[in-house]
Amino acid sequence: MPLGRVNYILIALGTLVIAASFGIMFLEKDVDGVFALFVSPVTLTAAYAGIAFAVLYRPKTKKSS
């Protein structure tokens, strides 16, 4: 498989952060709220970057001598 267990765990964590961020924005119900303007853009950007990293991540292989 091209992706390992660590990759899938990181993708799942990123997806949970994205879902939680959108969920909290939905619960806040204020377009000009603190979470919608300041916290959510940072968490969403970090989560999407984390998912991209998780897809591209490959663990280091040990060199045989």
Side-chain angles (χ1 to χ4, degrees):
M1 291 186 83
L3 298 177
R5 182 177 181 194
V6 173
N7 298 88
Y8 288 118
I9 291 172
L10 292 175
I11 291 170
L13 287 175
T15 305
L16 287 174
V17 169
I18 290 170
S21 184
F22 278 118
I24 293 172
M25 278 196 301
F26 175 75
L27 292 175
E28 189 178 35
K29 294 187 183 189
D30 189 15
V31 176
D32 296 330
V34 174
F35 193 83
L37 289 178
F38 301 109
V39 179
S40 183
V42 174
T43 58
L44 288 173
T45 304
Y48 283 119
I51 289 176
F53 172 77
V55 170
L56 298 174
Y57 175 74
R58 291 190 187 244
K60 294 182 180 180
T61 58
K62 296 181 181 179
K63 294 181 181 180
S64 59
S65 26

